[in-house]
């Protein structure tokens, strides 16, 4: 936990200040919602997260901790 907190403060927070990420989720009817509230919490079903990997996959650096903290879902990158 200490290593995670250090990485969050030293790496993630500056990136968030620079880019101001916004997260969206989609409900079962296909309607889009601001935030991650429509993601299942601790669900065992597979989920697909899509990011715009323009430069070094920096979006993943922000998606993974956000999803873990808000929904308690562990994410791994495929590329």
């Amino acid at each position: 936990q200490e290593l995670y907190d250090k990485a969050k403060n030293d790496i993630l927070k500056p990136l968030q200040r620079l880019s101001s990420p916004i997260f969206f989720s989609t409900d079962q009817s296909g309607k889009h919602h601001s935030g991650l509230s429509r993601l299942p919490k601790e669900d065992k079903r597979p989920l697909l997260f899509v990011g715009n990997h323009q430069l070094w996959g920096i979006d993943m650096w922000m998606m993974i901790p956000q999803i873990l903290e808000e929904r308690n879902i562990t994410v791994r990158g495929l590329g």
Side-chain angles (χ1 to χ4, degrees):
Q1 183 66 38
E2 184 178 326
L3 183 59
Y4 174 79
D5 291 338
K6 180 168 176 38
K8 182 177 174 182
N9 290 328
D10 294 349
I11 298 169
L12 183 61
K13 295 238 184 238
L15 280 175
Q16 288 173 329
R17 282 193 297 274
L18 285 172
S19 64
S20 303
I22 299 172
F23 295 90
F24 294 95
S25 53
T26 306
D27 64 20
Q28 291 179 337
S29 70
K31 184 176 178 187
H32 300 283
H33 300 270
S34 182
L36 301 174
S37 64
R38 302 293 190 222
L39 292 179
K41 197 167 189 171
E42 301 181 36
D43 201 339
K44 299 300 179 193
R45 297 177 298 159
L47 297 170
L48 175 65
F49 297 99
V50 179
N52 185 6
H53 295 22
Q54 297 258 338
L55 182 64
W56 304 311
I58 292 175
D59 54 335
M60 288 295 292
W61 300 358
M62 290 180 266
M63 285 173 51
I64 291 173
Q66 191 75 25
I67 294 167
L68 180 61
E69 287 182 16
E70 283 192 39
R71 306 308 291 173
N72 199 29
I73 298 172
T74 303
V75 180
R76 68 177 175 93
L78 293 178

